[in-house]
Amino acid sequence: MAAGKLIMLAAGGTGGHLFPAEALSHALHAKGMRVVLMPDTRAAEFAGNFPAEAVHAVPAATPSGRSPLQKAKALFAIAKGTFAARRIIRQLKPDVVVGFGGYPTVPPVLGASLAGVRTLIHEQNAVIGRANRFLAGRADVIATGFAKVGGITEAQQAKCRHVGNPVRPAVIEASGRDYDWPGEGKIRLLVFSGSQGARIMADIVPSAIELLTDAERARLTIVQQARAEDDERVRGIYETLGVQATIAPFFKDLPAQMAAAQLVIARSGASTVAELTVIGRPALLVPLPGSLDQDQAANAAFLEGVGGAIRILKPDFTPRHLADELSKLIAQPAHLTTMAANAKSAGIPDAADRLADLVIATAQSSN
C-alpha cells in the first residue's frame, strides 16, 4: 500500500523551481503521502511556508564562476552537500527523492543515488538544464514539462515521461475565468518579469507606448511590474501620455492579474509559460538572453508554435518593434481571442496530479 510513503522534494534557488515543487507537495498530500523538503541553505529561509512536515537544508552552489577558485569552491560545496544529503537520506529513508533542476538539487539527488534510494528529476524547460543533464544518467525517471525536450540523449529518452509543469492552486483558480474579448473596448495589458522585475521592461514598454497613436493608447489599461528605482520614471511616462496604469514592484496575486489581462508581456520561464497556458492568455514573450541552454527561447518557441504567443528575441525587443506588434494586435482583437484559445489548448492543468502519480509509482517500484 502506497499510503504514508515518504517523498523527499529537492528544490531551491528561484520560484521557477519552488512553485512546481509546492504544487506537487499539495498533490502528494491529497493522495496520502508524507513530504519533506531538502533545499539548499540559501533557499531554506524562503521555505518556511512550504507544505512539508520538515525542511532539511544542505550546502550547494553553482559552478559557473569565471575563476578556477570560484568553480573549485562551488564543487567543494556540492560535494559537502552531497555527503550531508546522503547522511540525512539514510536516516529518513525516503521512498523516492524528486529533484526540480538547478544546482541546489544536485546534492540531494546525487546523495539519494549514493544511498540506494530511487530518484526522479523534473525538467520544466523545453531544453534540459545543466544540473538535470548532469543528473539524468543517474536518475531512475525523468519527468518533463514539455513533450519534446532538447539535450536529452537517446538512451535517456526511455526514462522520460511527459507530465507537464505543475502550477500553484491560485493558477488553477484563475483558470476558471473566461477570456474577456476586448472587442473595440479597453485592452488590459499586463507587464511583468520575474520576482525582481526587469529593467528592460521599464526601458522598452513605456517607450513603445509613446510611439502608438492617441487612439491606440486610449484603448490600453496597463498593469506593470517595475522595480522601485524605475517606478517614478515609468509612472511619469504613462501619466504624461494620459494612459491609465497601475505600477507595483511585485504582484502577490499575479495569477489573478494574468486572468484579468487581455494581453501579457513577459519573460518565458517555464512556470510563466505553464501559467499562461493553463489560464489561457495571449502573450508577447521576451526570452531572458545569455542563458547557455537558451531554455527560455525554446519555451517561447513552443508557445509561439501553437499560436498562443509571439516571441521577441532581445535584439528585436525595441520600442519601435514592440509598438508595431501592439498596433497589429490592437487592430485585430479577434486575433487576441484566437491566441488565448490556442494558449489554453496547450495547458495541462492536472500536471501536479500527473507528476504525483508518477512519483508514487516510482516509490512503489522501490519495494
Side-chain angles (χ1 to χ4, degrees), residues 70-315:
Q70 284 178 311
K71 289 183 178 179
K73 284 182 177 179
L75 291 172
F76 177 76
I78 289 173
K80 184 179 178 182
T82 298
F83 287 112
R86 184 178 66 172
R87 183 176 66 253
I88 295 168
I89 288 166
R90 281 178 170 170
Q91 290 171 351
L92 297 179
K93 296 181 173 58
D95 293 281
V96 64
V97 173
V98 183
F100 281 87
Y103 279 97
T105 65
V106 170
V109 175
L110 196 54
S113 179
L114 292 173
V117 173
R118 288 181 67 78
T119 58
L120 180 152
I121 57 174
H122 182 268
E123 177 53 58
Q124 289 107 61
N125 292 292
V127 176
I128 191 168
R130 283 168 289 166
N132 271 350
R133 192 180 307 145
F134 171 73
L135 294 169
R138 286 182 171 271
D140 294 294
V141 181
I142 302 171
T144 66
F146 291 85
K148 293 182 180 179
V149 179
I152 291 178
T153 68
E154 189 174 336
Q156 292 162 359
Q157 287 286 353
K159 298 192 284 188
C160 289
R161 303 291 183 271
H162 176 224
V163 296
N165 279 317
V167 295
R168 295 167 287 167
V171 176
I172 300 299
E173 183 180 346
S175 70
R177 177 168 177 171
D178 291 335
Y179 182 70
D180 296 324
W181 182 62
E184 298 303 315
K186 286 280 189 179
I187 295 174
R188 184 179 172 94
L189 176 65
L190 173 65
V191 184
F192 68 92
S193 180
S195 58
Q196 298 300 315
R199 173 61 58 82
I200 193 169
M201 295 294 181
D203 290 342
I204 301 297
V205 178
S207 298
I209 303 301
E210 281 185 295
L211 296 175
L212 298 176
T213 65
D214 290 342
E216 288 169 336
R217 281 195 294 269
R219 297 281 307 281
L220 295 176
T221 298
I222 299 174
V223 177
Q224 182 164 346
Q225 180 189 23
R227 298 186 299 186
E229 57 265 38
D230 297 320
D231 183 291
E232 187 177 346
R233 174 168 60 97
V234 172
R235 195 182 300 273
I237 292 174
Y238 291 142
E239 286 179 355
T240 300
L241 295 172
V243 175
Q244 182 182 344
T246 300
I247 313 297
F250 182 74
F251 295 107
K252 291 183 178 179
D253 61 341
L254 186 58
Q257 293 285 355
M258 206 179 292
Q262 273 89 39
L263 178 62
V264 174
I265 300 177
R267 292 294 195 193
S268 50
S271 289
T272 296
V273 171
E275 291 170 5
L276 285 168
T277 58
V278 170
I279 296 172
R281 295 298 178 265
L284 296 169
L285 295 178
V286 187
L288 181 69
S291 166
L292 290 177
D293 307 313
Q294 288 298 302
D295 48 359
Q296 288 206 9
N299 298 345
F302 161 79
L303 197 48
E304 184 176 57
V306 299
I310 296 168
R311 184 177 71 160
I312 306 177
L313 299 178
K314 186 187 176 184

Side-chain angles (χ1 to χ4, degrees), residues 305-353:
V306 299
I310 296 168
R311 184 177 71 160
I312 306 177
L313 299 178
K314 186 187 176 184
D316 299 321
F317 192 51
T318 63
R320 180 73 270 166
H321 184 87
L322 179 59
D324 289 344
E325 293 290 356
L326 289 171
S327 291
K328 292 176 196 173
L329 293 172
I330 290 169
Q332 302 175 42
H335 185 52
L336 285 173
T337 305
T338 300
M339 288 176 68
N342 290 341
K344 188 139 192 170
S345 71
I348 304 178
D350 63 342
D353 282 323

Side-chain angles (χ1 to χ4, degrees), residues 36-56:
V36 294
L37 175 68
M38 184 172 280
D40 63 318
T41 47
R42 288 175 300 175
E45 62 183 292
F46 304 112
N49 296 321
F50 193 92
E53 63 183 55
V55 176
H56 302 274

